Amino acid sequence: MFDNKKVAFYTLGCKLNFSETSTIGRQLVNIGFTKTEFEKKADLYVINTCSVTENANRECRRIIRKAKKNSPEAFIVVTGCFAQLKPKEISDIEGVDMVLG
């Protein structure tokens, strides 16, 4: 179903976020996605956020802009702690297609 579709990941934060990103990655590969580096063009970007640092909002916005620059038509999903705590704020960021807490 998703053969030849590329997914890229960016993870901010703790070991748990990195573990969750790894799990999401395996699930997407299992349904046909191919992983690629974040700096490369992808069809889907998954950004796993952190809420611990004061710079979370700014960093999240920077990463979203970078993904859109890499691939303007890509679907962008933001997940993680920051997305859980401030879903409205995240969904208001231009370029975000889906927020998963």
Side-chain angles (χ1 to χ4, degrees), residues 22-55:
S22 179
T23 299
I24 293 167
R26 279 192 307 276
Q27 291 170 341
L28 290 172
V29 166
N30 286 343
I31 62 170
F33 278 91
T34 301
K35 281 191 201 179
T36 190
E37 297 298 317
F38 188 83
E39 293 75 23
K40 296 188 178 179
K41 185 175 175 127
D43 300 289
L44 171 64
Y45 288 90
V46 177
I47 302 167
N48 196 344
T49 61
C50 176
S51 63
V52 174
T53 68
E54 300 235 352
N55 298 322

Side-chain angles (χ1 to χ4, degrees), residues 3 5 8-9 14 23 25 27 39 41-42 44 47 53 58 61-64 67 78-81 85-86 91 93 97:
D3 293 338
K5 298 288 185 184
F9 299 92
C14 65
T23 299
Q27 291 170 341
E39 293 75 23
K41 185 175 175 127
L44 171 64
I47 302 167
T53 68
R58 185 176 6 172
R61 288 178 189 276
R62 184 184 73 77
I63 298 304
I64 291 165
V78 181
T79 189
C81 307
L85 293 173
K86 299 196 176 186
S91 66
I93 298 173
D97 295 298

Side-chain angles (χ1 to χ4, degrees), residues 57-58 61 82 86-93 96 99:
N57 187 354
R58 185 176 6 172
R61 288 178 189 276
F82 192 54
K86 299 196 176 186
K88 174 73 171 114
E89 189 173 322
I90 297 288
S91 66
D92 287 343
I93 298 173
V96 173
V99 179

